[in-house]
Coordinates of all heavy atoms in Angstrom, one line a residue:
V420 N -20.9 -38.2 18.8 CA -20.5 -38.1 20.3 C -19.1 -37.8 20.5 O -18.7 -37.0 21.4 CB -20.9 -39.5 21.0 CG1 -20.4 -39.5 22.4 CG2 -22.4 -39.7 21.0
L421 N -18.2 -38.3 19.6 CA -16.8 -38.1 19.8 C -16.4 -36.7 19.3 O -15.4 -36.1 19.8 CB -16.0 -39.1 19.0 CG -16.1 -40.6 19.4 CD1 -15.3 -41.5 18.5 CD2 -15.6 -40.7 20.8
I422 N -17.1 -36.1 18.4 CA -16.8 -34.7 17.9 C -17.4 -33.6 18.8 O -16.8 -32.6 19.0 CB -17.3 -34.6 16.5 CG1 -16.5 -35.5 15.6 CG2 -17.3 -33.2 16.0 CD1 -16.9 -35.5 14.1
T423 N -18.6 -33.8 19.4 CA -19.2 -32.8 20.2 C -18.4 -32.4 21.4 O -18.2 -33.2 22.2 CB -20.7 -33.2 20.6 OG1 -21.4 -33.6 19.4 CG2 -21.4 -32.1 21.3
E424 N -18.0 -31.2 21.5 CA -17.3 -30.6 22.6 C -18.1 -29.5 23.3 O -19.2 -29.2 22.8 CB -15.9 -30.1 22.2 CG -14.9 -31.1 21.6 CD -14.4 -32.1 22.7 OE1 -14.6 -31.8 23.9 OE2 -13.8 -33.1 22.4
V425 N -17.5 -28.9 24.3 CA -18.3 -27.9 25.1 C -18.4 -26.6 24.4 O -19.2 -25.7 24.7 CB -17.7 -27.8 26.5 CG1 -17.9 -29.1 27.2 CG2 -16.3 -27.4 26.4
A426 N -17.5 -26.3 23.5 CA -17.5 -25.0 22.8 C -17.4 -25.2 21.3 O -17.0 -26.3 20.7 CB -16.3 -24.2 23.2
I427 N -17.8 -24.2 20.5 CA -17.8 -24.3 19.1 C -16.4 -24.5 18.5 O -16.2 -25.3 17.6 CB -18.5 -23.0 18.5 CG1 -20.0 -22.9 19.0 CG2 -18.5 -23.0 17.0 CD1 -20.6 -21.6 18.5
G428 N -15.5 -23.7 19.0 CA -14.1 -23.8 18.5 C -13.5 -25.1 18.6 O -12.9 -25.7 17.7
T429 N -13.7 -25.7 19.8 CA -13.1 -27.1 20.0 C -13.8 -28.1 19.2 O -13.2 -29.1 18.7 CB -13.2 -27.4 21.5 OG1 -14.6 -27.3 21.9 CG2 -12.4 -26.5 22.4
S430 N -15.1 -28.0 19.0 CA -15.9 -29.0 18.1 C -15.4 -28.9 16.7 O -15.2 -29.9 16.0 CB -17.4 -28.7 18.2 OG -17.8 -28.8 19.6
I431 N -15.2 -27.6 16.2 CA -14.7 -27.5 14.8 C -13.3 -28.0 14.7 O -13.0 -28.7 13.6 CB -14.8 -26.0 14.4 CG1 -16.3 -25.6 14.3 CG2 -14.2 -25.8 13.0 CD1 -16.5 -24.1 14.0
M432 N -12.5 -27.8 15.6 CA -11.1 -28.3 15.6 C -11.1 -29.8 15.6 O -10.4 -30.4 14.8 CB -10.3 -27.7 16.7 CG -8.8 -28.1 16.7 SD -7.9 -27.4 15.3 CE -6.3 -28.1 15.6
T433 N -11.9 -30.4 16.5 CA -12.0 -31.8 16.5 C -12.5 -32.4 15.3 O -12.1 -33.5 14.8 CB -12.8 -32.2 17.7 OG1 -12.3 -31.6 18.9 CG2 -12.8 -33.8 17.9
F434 N -13.5 -31.8 14.7 CA -14.1 -32.2 13.4 C -13.1 -32.3 12.3 O -13.0 -33.3 11.6 CB -15.3 -31.4 13.0 CG -15.9 -31.6 11.7 CD1 -16.6 -32.8 11.4 CD2 -15.7 -30.8 10.6 CE1 -17.1 -33.1 10.2 CE2 -16.1 -31.0 9.3 CZ -16.9 -32.2 9.1

Side-chain angles (χ1 to χ4, degrees):
V420 172
L421 296 176
I422 289 174
T423 304
E424 295 287 349
V425 296
I427 298 176
T429 55
S430 298
I431 294 176
M432 183 65 181
T433 306
F434 171 71

